[in-house]
Amino acid sequence: MRNHLFIVVIVAAALCSCKGGSTLSSQEQGDTIKMKYAQLLTIVRYDDRTEVEIADPWNKGKVLHKYTLNADGTIPTKDNHRSPKLVVGTSVHCGLLEQLGKVETIKGVCDLQYVHLPRIQMMARDGKVVDCGSGLQPTVEKIISLQPDAIFLSPFQNSGGYGRVDDLGITIIEMADYMETSALGRAEWMRFYGMLVGAAEEADSLFAEVERNYKELCSKVKALAPDTHHPVLMDKMTGSVWYVPGGKSTIGRMLGDAGCDYPWATDNHSGSLALPFETVFQKARNAGVWLFRYNQPHAITYDELLTEKSAYKEFCAFKERRAYGCNTATSTFYEDTPFHPDFLLRDFITIIHPELGLGAPKYFLPL
C-alpha cells in the first residue's frame, strides 16, 4: 500500500460528530444499509437523518468516529441546495469523485504533486483547485480561506490526532477504507463516499460492476488445474528491509484469488511484513514471477536492479527474466486500484496465467 495516504475535509456546524474512545452502542430502530464486504462501516438511515459509525480498526469494539448526516446521507452544507465543497488530500479519493461525476466538489487537495489525474492538475492550473500542502501537515490557512463544507482525513494508529486541523472547528471524516482486510471490502467504501456527495446511486452501480468483474476473474482462475499455481515474489528491498504483503492483507489475499502460491499465504498479518533479505531469499528464491512497485521517472531495467542489490540475480524470476515492475510515478496505480481491485486482479492473472489470454497487463509491465 502506498505510504503517502491522503485527506478530505468537512466543515459543517450542522454535522454532529463524536470522536474516539466510545464503545459501539445499540442503534435505535432504523433502516440499516447492508454492507456485503466492508467490516468497519455501519450506516443506518432514519426518516430525518442518516447515522454512520466507523469502527476503530486498532481497538476492537471501539468507535473511531460517528456522524449524523442529512436524511439522504449527504454532508450538511451552509446552503442545503448546493453540493458540498471539499478539501481532498488523497489522489485515490480524487479519482473516485471524478468517476462518480463529482469532481467539481473538490476545491482543495493535499500532496498535489502525487495526484496523477489530468483533470485535477488542470483545475489546479486554472485556479479552481488549491494546493493545501502536505497531507501529513496541511496548510491550515489555505483550508480556512476555502471555507469548505468538509475535511476527510486518513487516520493512523497512535498518530495523536490531526494537529492544527483538530482546532479549526471542522468536522473530520476519517477515511479508514485502507484498513479493510479484503479488496472488495475497501472498494465498498465507495458507497459511503458516494452517499456523502449525493452520488449514492452512481456509487452503488459502480461497486456492483467492480464486484461482478472481480468475481468473474476469480471464476476463471478456479477453473484452472492446481499445478498451474506457481509461487510469486512481491516487491523489493527498501533500504535494509524487504516489505512483503502479509497473508491476510488485501494484496496477499488478492494474490491467492489470482491463483498463485504466495509464499506468505498462511501468515495472519493484514499489513506488511518487514523482513531481512535472507528470509525473503530463503522462502521465495524459486518463485517463477516477481512483481514489484517502484517510483522513478523512467522504466527500471534488470541492470538497475543489480545496482540496488546484486543478490537479486540469484532469484529464479530474475534469471528467467520474469520480473514485472509497476512505476507508480508514471501510472495511475494508486489512483485506480483501491476502488478498482478488479483492475489489479486482472493484472496479476494476466501475468501469472498467460494461458487465459486476458491480454497485456496495465500496471505491472515486463522489464
Side-chain angles (χ1 to χ4, degrees), residues 271-304:
S272 295
L273 304 176
L275 303 174
F277 176 87
E278 293 74 18
T279 300
V280 176
F281 183 70
Q282 181 180 15
K283 201 170 181 70
R285 65 183 300 176
N286 293 321
V289 172
W290 182 12
L291 307 170
F292 63 85
R293 290 163 286 189
Y294 67 100
N295 185 293
Q296 65 183 42
H298 62 272
I300 200 168
T301 66
Y302 283 99
D303 288 342
E304 280 184 275

Side-chain angles (χ1 to χ4, degrees), residues 250-323:
T250 55
I251 295 292
R253 295 174 68 177
M254 193 183 298
L255 287 167
D257 290 338
C260 76
D261 291 328
Y262 181 53
W264 288 271
T266 59
D267 171 79
N268 290 320
H269 290 85
S270 58
S272 295
L273 304 176
L275 303 174
F277 176 87
E278 293 74 18
T279 300
V280 176
F281 183 70
Q282 181 180 15
K283 201 170 181 70
R285 65 183 300 176
N286 293 321
V289 172
W290 182 12
L291 307 170
F292 63 85
R293 290 163 286 189
Y294 67 100
N295 185 293
Q296 65 183 42
H298 62 272
I300 200 168
T301 66
Y302 283 99
D303 288 342
E304 280 184 275
L305 282 176
L306 295 182
T307 65
E308 295 181 12
K309 186 77 175 178
S310 61
Y312 284 154
K313 67 178 181 294
E314 301 301 329
F315 283 95
C316 179
F318 187 99
K319 294 177 181 178
E320 296 180 359
R321 295 298 194 261
R322 294 205 66 196

Side-chain angles (χ1 to χ4, degrees), residues 166-188:
D166 279 328
D167 300 326
L168 294 179
I170 295 173
T171 299
I172 298 172
I173 287 189
E174 304 199 69
M175 307 173 82
D177 53 87
Y178 76 98
M179 288 301 298
E180 293 285 348
T181 58
S182 72
L184 288 176
R186 182 178 189 182
E188 193 171 20

Side-chain angles (χ1 to χ4, degrees), residues 99-102 190 194 197-208:
Q99 289 180 62
L100 296 178
K102 292 293 181 178
M190 73 171 71
V197 295
E201 290 186 8
E202 292 85 349
D204 287 349
S205 177
L206 179 59
F207 178 71

Side-chain angles (χ1 to χ4, degrees), residues 327-347:
N327 190 349
T328 60
T330 57
S331 73
T332 54
F333 174 86
Y334 286 119
E335 285 83 356
D336 297 345
T337 60
F339 294 114
H340 273 285
D342 51 325
F343 291 176
L344 182 54
L345 179 62
R346 182 189 174 281
D347 249 34

